[in-house]
Amino acid sequence: MGSNGTDKKKRTSFVEKEVDEVLSRQRSKRQKLMYNRLVLLAFAITVMIGIYIVRLGWLQLLFVHSKADDGVHTVLQRTVIQRARGVVLDDGRGSIVDRAGRPYTGQIVKALVLFPVNKNAIRTDAVRSMALWLHESEQEVRRRWEELTEPYIWPNEKDNKLPFELSTEQAGQIGISDWEGIRVLPYTVRYPLRQHTPQWVGAIADMTDTSNNEHFKKSGNNADSSIVGVSGLERSFEPLLKGLGATTVVHYTDASQLPLHGLDVRLRHPDNPYYPLRLITTTDQTIEAAIEQVLDRYHIEKGSVVVLDAATRDVVAMVSRPAADPYHIEPEKAAWNNRATKALPPGSVYKLFIAAAAMEAGLAQLNERFNCDGHYGKYGLACWLPEGHGTLTLREALAESCNEVFAELGERLTGQQLLNYAKTMGLSGFVGMVSDDGMGHRSLRHFEGEEESRIFPGNVQPGNVSGGERAQSGIGQRNVRLTPLAAANFVVTLLQNGNFGSPRLIQEVQYATGMPIVRFPVQVKKERVMKLETARNVMKMMVDVVQYGTGQSLKQASWNVAGKSGTAQAEAFGTANVHTWFVGYGPVEKPKYAVSVVSEDDQSGTSHKATEVFRAVMDVLAAQPPHK
């Protein structure tokens, strides 16, 4: 029994060992099989990754430089074009407004903007409504829409350089409709007044565009800094107006130029609530518009009107003819010149200055008596009245605009005296304000393009000026040149009892939030440039001109006014044309405004247009409500 039991145990142990070996071999085979499978899977994954890397490299390095379907651009170029596709709604440039906030630049309108959509998505009722608004056929509206490859601002019917402006009702209808591909978006019109934009506002241009014919290019329909001011405040205040960037509407499309739903329409704009800035001027658009109507009524083709506030010297209105359209830049044409800042022969209005200079120098008295026989007797000068004025006082001589008396006063004064008084009183050099905003911009000229007034040419030594030249200067001829702005400013100097100052056009610069950045205060010198008695005497003489002198036609004006007329030979060689002037103030009892009017290149012998316009301008000013 013992032996059999032992054998049985041995056999059992052997079987178990055999089973363990079999199981071990099976496990080894399974592990090896799994390992092989893992290696194969890893190899497959490696191959797939390699293929993707090669594909990506090909796309990035080779395919993007191959020609796209249009056969013109590469794939990379088409991608860039697609990303940049859109239109600019606002070039980001600062605005210029009048004293009541009415815009000269930067008026926001509701623009109708169409986007490319699938033809099947174009709704018939949308086309019908737009056709009615736009005064176009339904076929034309649908044709333009179907052909779009990028957003399209529908142009104005009468002027395709401006966008079509939707009414509140039309914009509301679009808002409640589910029309795909139509948006009402705020579009900033740079020059809403078009040809009624004053030249002192100026113009901008795209320096990368040599044609300057496309409105949306000139208005800044790209986001770079190539849009710059080329004249007027647009140029002189460029550092404050240039802004931070454009507001652009972008419509995302796929490679087939179909809309990418989900992205839809996006607006991109600089994320700065303080910009763009705003220039607040001293002017009044309603007064300027009324003066424009006056110039039209009197057929003034070339000339200017300047209205200054008698208390502050602020420019209330400055109108220049011929008119200029900022959307058509033609610098070589006279329309681009602000005639109010151009130096012209002043004729007899210069006698106001000669009278003041002679009295300041103690060389003449208000009631001093002179004799005029119609001929000065030398230098070929004569009075405008052939038989002469006879015996008259200095006060009467100005009222009658006697040439002999003022030629004599011109000779009494030395060349140095004439020059010194002209500089002191603002009739030589510049008079317009130049400001410093405290932020590093120290030469902000309020009157860009202002020319220097002068009594003698710059290369002439005052001590060498002959008696004949001084006599001719005494009646505003020879080399004398005066800007209408300086003439009006001289009148304000008289009204302010002989205190001199500089005219102001910009009173404040504001952030977009309305918070002021800098204010430019009124500039008035503390010391007088002429005696109080002199200033008041000249003002009395200006009253006499209207009451019994050469300006009696102004007695019928709405206000009691005072002033002085002038007629000067035009500078154009070989012409008999003249420039007619009138400078003055009103009302006499409590002066509010100083006004200068120039009508250039009038036919000799015709009516004195400047006097007629002066009266009409004063009537306009008299009808204005008090400015708050």
Side-chain angles (χ1 to χ4, degrees):
M1 290 293 292
S3 175
N4 290 338
T6 301
D7 292 340
K8 187 176 180 179
K9 288 181 180 180
K10 288 181 178 180
R11 285 196 299 268
T12 299
S13 176
F14 176 78
V15 171
E16 290 177 350
K17 185 177 180 180
E18 287 293 328
V19 170
D20 288 341
E21 289 179 357
V22 170
L23 292 175
S24 177
R25 286 195 298 270
Q26 288 177 346
R27 282 196 300 270
S28 178
K29 287 180 180 180
R30 284 197 301 268
Q31 290 174 352
K32 186 175 183 180
L33 180 60
M34 184 172 292
Y35 173 78
N36 291 337
R37 287 176 177 176
L38 289 174
V39 170
L40 183 61
L41 180 60
F43 177 76
I45 292 173
T46 302
V47 171
M48 291 175 64
I49 292 174
I51 292 173
Y52 279 117
I53 291 174
V54 172
R55 172 69 174 174
L56 182 60
W58 178 73
L59 289 173
Q60 292 287 333
L61 302 176
L62 300 176
F63 177 72
V64 293
H65 298 290
S66 63
K67 292 294 183 182
D69 294 339
D70 60 9
V72 177
H73 301 96
T74 66
V75 173
L76 179 60
Q77 290 170 332
R78 283 295 301 274
T79 302
V80 172
I81 292 171
Q82 179 177 319
R83 289 174 181 170
R85 184 163 292 138
V87 291
V88 168
L89 299 175
D90 187 337
D91 60 16
R93 196 169 176 83
S95 59
I96 303 171
V97 303
D98 79 346
R99 63 189 186 184
R102 292 174 287 246
Y104 290 106
T105 72
Q107 183 178 38
I108 299 176
V109 301
K110 299 182 183 71
L112 173 62
V113 185
L114 297 182
F115 296 87
V117 295
N118 191 293
K119 294 181 180 180
N120 296 328
I122 296 178
R123 293 268 296 272
T124 301
D125 56 339
V127 172
R128 184 179 301 114
S129 295
M130 286 192 296
L132 290 173
W133 302 338
L134 302 168
H135 303 290
E136 292 279 2
S137 67
E138 293 183 29
Q139 293 80 4
E140 176 63 14
V141 173
R142 182 177 289 275
R143 181 191 66 79
R144 290 200 206 179
W145 199 355
E146 289 179 351
E147 292 178 355
L148 292 183
T149 59
E150 58 186 35
Y152 177 66
I153 300 175
W154 199 283
N156 187 284
E157 176 187 10
K158 296 180 180 179
D159 189 343
N160 60 14
K161 296 178 179 62
L162 297 174
F164 175 80
E165 184 176 352
L166 290 163
S167 67
T168 301
E169 293 75 15
Q170 292 166 349
Q173 183 175 344
I174 293 174
I176 63 176
S177 302
D178 58 348
W179 296 336
E180 185 175 352
I182 304 176
R183 293 290 187 278
V184 181
L185 296 174
Y187 183 88
T188 302
V189 177
R190 187 64 194 170
Y191 300 110
L193 301 181
R194 289 301 305 271
Q195 70 273 19
H196 300 290
T197 306
Q199 283 89 337
W200 53 260
V201 170
I204 58 175
D206 184 350
M207 295 295 100
T208 64
D209 177 18
T210 57
S211 66
N212 279 322
N213 289 325
E214 296 295 331
H215 159 66
F216 293 119
K217 288 182 180 179
K218 290 205 303 297
S219 295
N221 273 9
N222 53 55
D224 61 29
S225 59
S226 63
I227 306 301
V228 298
V230 294
S231 64
L233 291 176
E234 293 276 28
R235 180 177 181 180
S236 59
F237 277 72
E238 171 73 20
L240 299 177
L241 289 171
K242 62 183 179 180
L244 299 179
T247 296
T248 308
V249 59
V250 179
H251 189 229
Y252 291 92
T253 60
D254 59 19
S256 301
Q257 297 182 347
L258 294 176
L260 286 175
H261 297 287
L263 290 176
D264 197 31
V265 175
R266 299 295 177 90
L267 289 178
R268 297 176 177 174
H269 56 83
D271 188 18
N272 190 320
Y274 296 101
Y275 284 81
L277 304 181
R278 185 166 69 158
L279 306 185
I280 312 299
T281 70
T282 60
T283 57
D284 189 311
Q285 272 193 32
T286 58
I287 294 177
E288 287 179 326
I291 291 174
E292 281 196 310
Q293 293 177 0
V294 169
L295 296 180
D296 289 340
R297 187 162 72 245
Y298 287 96
H299 307 289
I300 305 299
E301 297 181 358
K302 189 177 181 181
S304 65
V305 175
V306 177
V307 180
L308 298 183
D309 187 299
T312 63
R313 297 179 194 263
D314 285 347
V315 176
V316 177
M318 182 180 285
V319 181
S320 175
R321 288 294 173 90
D325 187 340
Y327 287 126
H328 293 284
I329 299 176
E330 299 173 291
E332 70 281 359
K333 293 191 176 181
W336 282 103
N337 294 323
N338 181 5
R339 305 306 305 172
T341 59
K342 297 301 174 184
L344 303 166
S348 292
V349 298
Y350 210 66
K351 293 172 183 175
L352 296 173
F353 161 69
I354 295 298
M359 287 188 284
E360 282 292 293
L363 299 175
Q365 301 296 322
L366 185 64
N367 294 314
E368 179 181 350
R369 305 186 73 81
F370 297 82
N371 184 65
C372 169
D373 60 6
H375 302 280
Y376 191 55
K378 50 185 175 179
Y379 311 127
L381 295 178
C383 190
W384 63 269
L385 189 65
E387 63 273 23
H389 292 96
T391 301
L392 70 176
T393 64
L394 174 59
R395 183 171 180 173
E396 293 169 335
L398 188 80
E400 298 295 340
S401 197
C402 177
N403 285 345
E404 278 199 54
V405 171
F406 285 91
E408 181 178 332
L409 293 181
E411 272 206 276
R412 288 184 185 181
L413 291 156
T414 67
Q416 191 64 56
Q417 285 177 316
L418 285 168
L419 180 60
N420 289 344
Y421 284 126
K423 287 182 176 179
T424 301
M425 298 180 188
L427 280 81
S428 179
F430 302 107
V431 297
M433 186 180 290
V434 180
S435 294
D436 180 346
D437 65 359
M439 297 181 291
H441 309 123
R442 299 180 178 177
S443 299
L444 299 171
R445 301 184 67 87
H446 291 228
F447 304 92
E448 190 272 337
E450 178 190 0
E451 294 182 354
E452 291 187 86
S453 298
R454 73 173 194 232
I455 188 167
F456 306 126
N459 59 351
V460 172
Q461 295 297 321
N464 297 331
V465 177
S466 67
E469 186 168 355
R470 299 199 308 277
Q472 288 179 310
S473 298
I475 59 174
Q477 298 287 356
R478 193 64 178 258
N479 292 307
V480 178
R481 298 293 181 270
L482 186 65
T483 67
L485 176 64
N489 192 58
F490 177 74
V491 174
V492 179
T493 297
L494 297 174
L495 297 176
Q496 293 186 359
N497 298 321
N499 290 304
F500 179 78
S502 296
R504 182 176 67 158
L505 186 54
I506 303 297
Q507 56 180 308
E508 184 173 284
V509 182
Q510 294 181 349
Y511 287 114
T513 59
M515 183 175 64
I517 302 175
V518 60
R519 292 187 176 98
F520 301 126
V522 174
Q523 289 183 359
V524 179
K525 287 187 177 180
K526 293 182 179 180
E527 69 278 5
R528 287 193 175 101
V529 297
M530 69 178 78
K531 301 182 184 74
L532 175 62
E533 182 184 11
T534 300
R536 291 183 174 177
N537 283 342
V538 176
M539 289 170 61
K540 290 177 184 177
M541 289 191 280
M542 295 172 74
V543 172
D544 292 343
V545 169
V546 175
Q547 293 305 310
Y548 66 85
T550 57
Q552 293 185 61
S553 63
L554 296 173
K555 284 184 177 181
Q556 306 304 317
S558 300
W559 277 339
N560 288 328
V561 297
K564 181 70 184 78
S565 62
T567 302
Q569 187 71 30
E571 296 177 86
F573 180 77
T575 179
N577 291 352
V578 294
H579 303 321
T580 60
W581 288 69
F582 199 96
V583 300
Y585 64 92
V588 169
E589 298 78 12
K590 189 177 181 180
K592 292 183 177 181
Y593 302 103
V595 176
S596 69
V597 177
V598 182
S599 179
E600 299 181 43
D601 295 332
D602 292 340
Q603 290 186 357
S604 181
T606 59
S607 63
H608 200 273
K609 284 189 175 182
T611 302
E612 296 172 343
V613 171
F614 178 86
R615 172 184 167 179
V617 169
M618 278 299 183
D619 288 345
V620 166
L621 296 172
Q624 296 300 312
H627 173 59
K628 296 180 181 180

